[in-house]
Amino acid sequence: MFSLSELAPLNQHQSRCKLLKPWWEVFMDYLVVLMLMTSVLACTEQLSRDRVVCIPLDPLVPPTTRNHSPSSNREALTPSSKTPNHVPRNISPNTHTTARGRRTHLVYQQYVYISQVCYHEALPLCSRFFPYMAMLQSLVLVASGSFWLHFPHTSARIEHFLTILSKCCESPWTSQALSHAARQESIQEKEVVEERQPPQPPLSSNSSSDPVVRTRGSSIDSGTDSPLLKRLDSASFTPPSPCPSAHSCHSNISSLSLGSQVNFPSSKPSLMVDSPRQVISLDKSDGEQTRALFERVRKFRSHSESADVIYKVYLAQTVFKLLMVTVIFSYTIPLLSSLSFTHTCRPEEEALVGYTTFECIHVLSSLLRKLLLAYLTLLGLYGLLNLYTLSWILHSSLRQYSFHSLKDLCSLRDVPDLRNDLAFLLHMLDQYDPLLAQRLSVFLSPVTESRLLEESLERRWGEEKLRSMSSVDSEGSSRLQLVALPRLPPALFTLNQLHVLKLELITEARFTAQVANMKSLRELHLYHCSAAVDPGALGVLQERLEVLHLTFTQASEIPGWVTSLRGLHELHLSGRLSSDNGVGRSWALGSLRQLRHLRVLVIRGMLQRIPGELCEVAGSLVRLEVFNEGTRLLVLTGLKRMVDLTELLLQDCRLERLPSALLSLTNLRTLDLQHNNLRTLEELLSLAALRRLSCLRLAYNRVLSLPASVAVLRGLELLDLSNNQLQSLPPALFTLHRLRKLFLAGNLLEVLPAEVKALQLLTELDLSGNRLEKLPSQLFSSCLELHILNVAHNSLSALPRGVAALSRLCRFDLRSNSLEDLPAELGSCPGLHGGGLLVEDWLFLSLPPRVRDFLSRSCPPSGAYSEGNSRPESDSFPYFSPTQWSFSSALESQI
């Protein structure tokens, strides 16, 4: 047994499929039902009353052919010798009457027998099997009539389409969008009518007694709507919506889900009371459902437009039904002549009945003939409708659909043309009610989707929320970051105090002329965000924007308006900038010649050469940074023309030697070649021409030894040789008397030469991660300017007592060594208290209590932290307070 809950989905699907059946399909369904009823009636009559009645025609068979006795033959030959048992009442027995007709000598059983024999031998096949054939044909036509709705490859798409259609009709956004489109169209029509309408003379006092009635009457009589529109404007009415209300649509869909016939409201205009700028705001849940419906329609469109399966199945179904009708007519029409009332039967059972020829009548012949004529009439109408369907399919472009009726609505003119299965479904839907396709078009229009996103952004990303999301950095600049929004919220352009704006993964970012309100905007970050700029906003960005960060996948994604930012000072490019196919050569930026004020250029890409386009801004460029992500930088000749560079950073470029192009950069102050493959520094001698070079960073290379030619770099103040493979330090290194910061962490040093005492200006020394077993006492007696000393991760067993001389020392890292105790002279270093001494907890307890108390003070004395008291870049350990030493020891053991 089936439950009602199991039958409900079938009934619901059947009712919803009615939306895709045009009038001829519905008419053909009724015709098939009538044909089926006709065949069922014929079958019922034939099963209940169908028979033949037969009487003999020829004389009796001669006696010699029979095996009967003579007495019986005589009885048979003189049938009138016996007086009949029944005599009519008005005739007396003695009255002489003449018998009419021919008397037969068959009993009832013989009549029954001969009737059955003649039914199968005398009646034609059509008289016996027409009702059953007609019923089978009708069942085939019933099945083929809705085959395209239930075929496995089409039913899923049709069901999905009907579900989406019901959602579109239920959505409150549909009515809002259509009302907005109609409102804008009526406003345009009003403007056109007002332009064409001649000036009206002032009304007299007699004619102005009832202005409302006169205005309505004039509008109806003249056929124009300008007086009515004037009245609607004064009464705060909006133009009628071309679509039914959301409530009526919701009730229609509800009735549709219950399996009843859908009756959509009429499309006649109705007067709606509304303000001219009324907007139906969607709550959060409705907005999310509407956005999800847009995405669902977009995916269904891409899926259904990829094939025309439904169209082909419907065409094949129509051709099949037409062939069926032709075949049925071809063998049924000739059968009409064989449906006769009388039949002659010549059975072979002469010995049983005594007659050779019988005349039979078919009782249902007249009824069957009429039913057959009715069946053929219905079948003819059915065939004509199939011909009409086939001609409609062949003469109409059913695989192309255009919303012609919506092109007049200014807000829906962007509805795209559809093709293949989606176009065919909409053509079928138009035959039922064109209003349904109009509702679906709302979710195919990019303009309505944009309006939805704008309203959603205005509601969710207001000015107050954006201000609460902004932060202030240490420099006092206000920063705001927006991630994964569909577009820029309009409230963003009201933040006149914003300095830094970061936009990430915003698909349709656009800067309008309202960016002029952002008077403090100086820095812009675009992470995978191809922002568009209106002409009115471009001038504002050219005047105010100073720093621009661009992150992209391909160089072609760089916006073209970047090259026109003539006031730009810093440009950061992060993405693939390959130069082997010419893309990197042009940078997809066109020309950089307009960036006359560009001073800093940072490139994070995969370059094989320094682009020649940099020469166009070589006159103003002072800092160039290239992070090449492991790609070998082969050609650096483009650097020779950048004579004004003061800072050059070439990281992760797989350089094996110092580039010769550096000799031309006589104004260079900072050279950073970290994260390369440098093995030798023999070319240091050639850097003697760089007299202004004060910072040299060569960390994270493979340098085995430091040549004596390092002495030519007399102006060096910072030297970073961390994370190389140095085993010793040449005495020439300590002739660099201006050196203030020396980073030697992560090498293989076993001894620190005593010549380090010559570096009397040294403020920061990093020796962590080496193999040092002791420190020279000269370090503590001569390098009195030391602020930061890092000797962690070595093999030190003791510290010199002269550590007390380092009165400016404010950070001393001794972790992970072989120390057994600490000298009490550490208490003479006032800068170490408050977390300046980094050591294990158990080792800290080896100090005298007075020294521990001094070093555990939380507040440093005034002036203990000076300018050089910053954490070095090569140090990876945080500052620790005394209360954190126990945690630091545990962390150290894990490391």
Side-chain angles (χ1 to χ4, degrees):
M1 297 294 291
F2 292 99
S3 62
L4 293 178
S5 60
E6 293 174 339
L7 294 177
L10 299 176
N11 191 18
Q12 179 181 357
H13 174 74
Q14 185 177 5
S15 283
R16 291 200 299 181
C17 288
K18 292 180 180 179
L19 300 176
L20 298 177
K21 285 191 173 184
W23 64 267
W24 56 84
E25 288 283 344
V26 178
F27 197 14
M28 282 192 286
D29 289 345
Y30 286 121
L31 290 177
V32 171
V33 171
L34 291 177
M35 286 189 286
L36 185 61
M37 293 176 62
T38 303
S39 61
V40 170
L41 176 61
C43 289
T44 304
E45 291 292 328
Q46 190 167 21
L47 290 175
S48 61
R49 313 194 296 125
D50 191 26
R51 61 191 179 91
V52 295
V53 179
C54 301
I55 59 174
L57 290 178
D58 52 353
L60 292 174
V61 181
T64 57
T65 62
R66 304 184 184 183
N67 297 326
H68 298 162
S69 62
S71 61
S72 62
N73 290 338
R74 283 192 297 269
E75 284 183 359
L77 292 175
T78 59
S80 58
S81 60
K82 294 183 179 181
T83 304
N85 297 328
H86 174 71
V87 179
R89 296 179 181 178
N90 55 354
I91 300 176
S92 62
N94 298 324
T95 304
H96 176 74
T97 59
T98 303
R100 297 182 180 182
R102 184 163 48 85
R103 183 180 296 275
T104 61
H105 303 278
L106 297 177
V107 296
Y108 177 75
Q109 287 79 7
Q110 289 176 318
Y111 278 112
V112 173
Y113 172 78
I114 202 63
S115 297
Q116 295 296 327
V117 172
C118 291
Y119 180 83
H120 292 282
E121 293 184 1
L123 285 185
L125 293 177
C126 65
S127 299
R128 289 180 290 164
F129 298 105
F130 155 70
Y132 310 110
M133 291 296 297
M135 187 171 63
L136 290 177
Q137 295 165 6
S138 301
L139 290 177
V140 172
L141 294 178
V142 168
S144 61
S146 301
F147 178 75
W148 71 289
L149 297 174
H150 305 284
F151 185 61
H153 293 287
T154 61
S155 60
R157 290 189 179 185
I158 294 174
E159 180 67 22
H160 196 184
F161 173 77
L162 294 175
T163 303
I164 289 177
L165 181 63
S166 64
K167 295 294 183 182
C168 293
C169 292
E170 291 177 356
S171 177
W173 178 254
T174 307
S175 299
Q176 178 185 357
L178 293 176
S179 299
H180 178 77
R183 185 159 49 244
Q184 289 188 346
E185 183 67 20
S186 63
I187 292 175
Q188 290 184 355
E189 292 179 358
K190 173 185 174 182
E191 293 176 353
V192 173
V193 171
E194 288 181 350
E195 291 177 358
R196 297 179 179 179
Q197 184 178 7
Q200 298 290 338
L203 298 175
S204 60
S205 59
N206 295 332
S207 60
S208 61
S209 59
D210 193 0
V212 176
V213 176
R214 186 174 298 275
T215 302
R216 295 178 181 268
S218 60
S219 174
I220 296 174
D221 294 339
S222 61
T224 61
D225 55 349
S226 57
L228 179 58
L229 288 173
K230 293 180 180 179
R231 177 58 184 172
L232 292 178
D233 290 340
S234 61
S236 300
F237 286 118
T238 57
S241 171
C243 62
S245 63
H247 175 73
S248 61
C249 183
H250 179 73
S251 62
N252 290 332
I253 297 299
S254 300
S255 63
L256 181 138
S257 63
L258 293 176
S260 59
Q261 177 69 26
V262 180
N263 296 321
F264 284 93
S266 174
S267 59
K268 295 181 180 180
S270 60
L271 198 58
M272 299 174 59
V273 179
D274 195 3
S275 61
R277 297 182 58 84
Q278 180 182 2
V279 178
I280 304 176
S281 61
L282 304 178
D283 55 15
K284 183 177 180 180
S285 61
D286 288 341
E288 293 177 354
Q289 292 177 3
T290 305
R291 289 192 297 272
L293 186 56
F294 267 105
E295 184 65 24
R296 190 174 180 181
V297 171
R298 187 181 299 109
K299 290 182 179 179
F300 177 75
R301 178 190 171 192
S302 62
H303 176 66
S304 59
E305 285 189 332
S306 61
D308 55 352
V309 181
I310 302 178
Y311 171 80
K312 292 179 178 178
V313 172
Y314 186 78
L315 177 60
Q317 170 186 301
T318 304
V319 173
F320 173 78
K321 291 191 295 183
L322 194 58
L323 290 177
M324 280 285 298
V325 172
T326 304
V327 171
I328 293 173
F329 266 110
S330 64
Y331 70 79
T332 305
I333 291 180
L335 298 179
L336 281 174
S337 59
S338 61
L339 286 176
S340 60
F341 182 72
T342 60
H343 300 276
T344 301
C345 177
R346 293 179 176 83
E348 297 179 356
E349 290 78 3
E350 302 173 356
L352 298 179
V353 295
Y355 295 92
T356 59
T357 304
F358 291 85
E359 182 176 355
C360 304
I361 61 171
H362 187 202
V363 176
L364 294 181
S365 61
S366 177
L367 178 61
L368 289 180
R369 185 180 182 86
K370 294 177 181 178
L371 290 178
L372 180 57
L373 289 175
Y375 181 84
L376 292 178
T377 303
L378 296 175
L379 188 64
L381 293 176
Y382 187 86
L384 291 177
L385 289 177
N386 277 282
L387 281 175
Y388 173 80
T389 305
L390 186 61
S391 64
W392 178 72
I393 294 175
L394 298 179
H395 291 85
S396 302
S397 299
L398 299 183
R399 285 180 285 187
Q400 299 290 334
Y401 188 88
S402 178
F403 293 88
H404 296 290
S405 59
L406 299 179
K407 300 300 182 180
D408 297 334
L409 298 177
C410 55
S411 296
L412 297 176
R413 290 175 182 172
D414 62 322
V415 180
D417 294 340
L418 306 177
R419 56 190 180 90
N420 289 339
D421 279 347
L422 184 56
F424 176 74
L425 290 175
L426 287 176
H427 279 292
M428 301 297 285
L429 195 64
D430 278 346
Q431 302 299 323
Y432 184 87
D433 189 355
L435 201 60
L436 297 178
Q438 188 176 359
R439 287 184 168 272
L440 181 63
S441 66
V442 173
F443 293 88
L444 294 170
S445 171
V447 171
T448 57
E449 186 175 7
S450 300
R451 288 185 56 243
L452 175 65
L453 294 178
E454 290 176 1
E455 293 187 7
S456 177
L457 289 174
E458 290 178 1
R459 182 178 63 256
R460 298 178 56 190
W461 300 90
E463 182 178 356
E464 296 182 359
K465 182 175 181 178
L466 293 177
R467 291 187 184 277
S468 64
M469 292 177 58
S470 60
S471 59
V472 180
D473 57 13
S474 58
E475 299 178 356
S477 300
S478 177
R479 295 174 174 266
L480 176 62
Q481 183 175 6
L482 300 177
V483 181
L485 294 181
R487 59 186 61 205
L488 298 180
L492 174 65
F493 302 109
T494 61
L495 305 179
N496 52 8
Q497 301 296 328
L498 189 65
H499 296 86
V500 181
L501 177 60
K502 297 182 179 181
L503 305 177
E504 183 175 356
L505 299 175
I506 299 181
T507 55
E508 298 182 4
R510 175 174 292 275
F511 290 93
T512 62
Q514 297 180 356
V515 76
N517 300 328
M518 308 176 71
K519 299 179 180 180
S520 302
L521 184 63
R522 296 294 181 270
E523 185 174 343
L524 178 62
H525 297 245
L526 299 176
Y527 298 96
H528 299 283
C529 176
S530 300
V533 176
D534 292 343
L538 184 58
V540 178
L541 295 180
Q542 290 175 346
E543 179 182 355
R544 300 177 183 175
L545 205 60
E546 298 178 356
V547 182
L548 178 62
H549 292 252
L550 294 176
T551 302
F552 47 87
T553 304
Q554 298 291 336
S556 58
E557 300 175 8
I558 301 177
W561 51 267
V562 173
T563 58
S564 62
L565 299 178
R566 55 178 180 269
L568 200 64
H569 292 170
E570 292 187 25
L571 178 59
H572 297 252
L573 301 175
S574 179
R576 184 177 181 85
L577 289 171
S578 62
S579 56
D580 52 350
N581 56 0
V583 178
R585 185 175 182 180
S586 64
W587 292 50
L589 294 174
S591 176
L592 299 176
R593 62 174 55 95
Q594 296 185 21
L595 305 181
R596 293 300 183 184
H597 299 284
L598 188 66
R599 301 181 62 81
V600 178
L601 178 61
V602 180
I603 302 174
R604 297 180 181 270
M606 291 182 286
L607 296 177
Q608 295 183 0
R609 55 182 293 275
I610 298 297
E613 285 78 6
L614 291 180
C615 301
E616 299 181 0
V617 292
S620 61
L621 200 64
V622 297
R623 181 178 178 183
L624 175 63
E625 297 183 7
V626 178
F627 300 88
N628 219 32
E629 299 181 0
T631 303
R632 185 184 297 276
L633 189 60
L634 300 175
V635 182
L636 293 92
T637 54
L639 294 175
K640 294 182 178 180
R641 299 180 59 181
M642 302 180 189
V643 294
D644 293 330
L645 275 184
T646 60
E647 298 183 32
L648 176 62
L649 187 148
L650 301 175
Q651 287 193 14
D652 213 3
C653 298
R654 297 176 61 183
L655 299 176
E656 297 181 356
R657 290 181 175 272
L658 296 177
S660 59
L662 298 177
L663 300 178
S664 304
L665 308 180
T666 57
N667 293 321
L668 201 62
R669 297 179 181 272
T670 300
L671 177 60
D672 190 339
L673 300 178
Q674 299 184 82
H675 298 277
N676 282 286
N677 296 333
L678 298 177
R679 293 180 177 273
T680 178
L681 298 178
E682 296 177 358
E683 294 84 359
L684 283 178
L685 184 61
S686 62
L687 299 182
L690 307 182
R691 300 184 180 276
R692 299 184 181 182
L693 187 64
S694 60
C695 178
L696 178 61
R697 295 184 181 273
L698 301 174
Y700 297 95
N701 280 280
R702 301 178 182 180
V703 180
L704 299 176
S705 62
L706 187 63
S709 57
V710 70
V712 301
L713 305 176
R714 298 183 180 277
L716 275 186
E717 297 181 2
L718 185 149
L719 178 60
D720 188 358
L721 293 170
S722 302
N723 295 282
N724 281 279
Q725 300 176 14
L726 298 175
Q727 297 181 0
S728 61
L729 298 176
L733 173 63
F734 304 105
T735 62
L736 305 177
H737 300 295
R738 294 185 182 182
L739 204 60
R740 294 180 179 273
K741 297 182 180 181
L742 178 60
F743 303 129
L744 299 170
N747 282 280
L748 305 175
L749 299 176
E750 296 181 355
V751 177
L752 180 63
E755 289 83 354
V756 70
K757 64 181 180 179
L759 305 179
Q760 297 182 1
L761 298 179
L762 200 63
T763 61
E764 191 170 341
L765 178 60
D766 189 357
L767 298 169
S768 61
N770 282 279
R771 302 175 180 178
L772 299 175
E773 295 181 357
K774 64 177 181 178
L775 296 175
S777 59
Q778 293 84 355
L779 175 64
F780 300 97
S781 61
S782 300
C783 301
L784 302 180
E785 298 293 329
L786 271 178
H787 291 76
I788 299 175
L789 178 59
N790 188 352
V791 292
H793 298 277
N794 279 280
S795 301
L796 299 177
S797 58
L799 289 178
R801 300 293 179 180
V803 68
L806 301 179
S807 60
R808 296 178 180 272
L809 192 64
C810 59
R811 188 168 185 270
F812 193 14
D813 194 345
L814 294 170
R815 292 173 294 179
S816 297
N817 279 280
S818 301
L819 298 172
E820 295 182 356
D821 57 3
L822 296 176
E825 285 78 8
L826 288 174
S828 302
C829 301
L832 291 180
H833 73 284
L837 179 62
L838 303 180
V839 71
E840 289 82 357
D841 189 21
W842 63 271
L843 191 57
F844 180 74
L845 296 176
S846 65
L847 291 170
R850 179 181 57 82
V851 179
R852 293 200 307 266
D853 294 341
F854 172 75
L855 296 176
S856 300
R857 291 180 183 176
S858 59
C859 297
S862 176
Y865 294 96
S866 59
E867 182 180 359
N869 197 7
S870 61
R871 175 188 174 191
E873 296 182 7
S874 61
D875 188 9
S876 60
F877 298 99
Y879 294 96
F880 283 80
S881 63
T883 58
Q884 295 172 315
W885 280 333
S886 60
F887 174 76
S888 68
S889 61
L891 179 62
E892 191 64 22
S893 62
Q894 295 179 2
I895 295 177

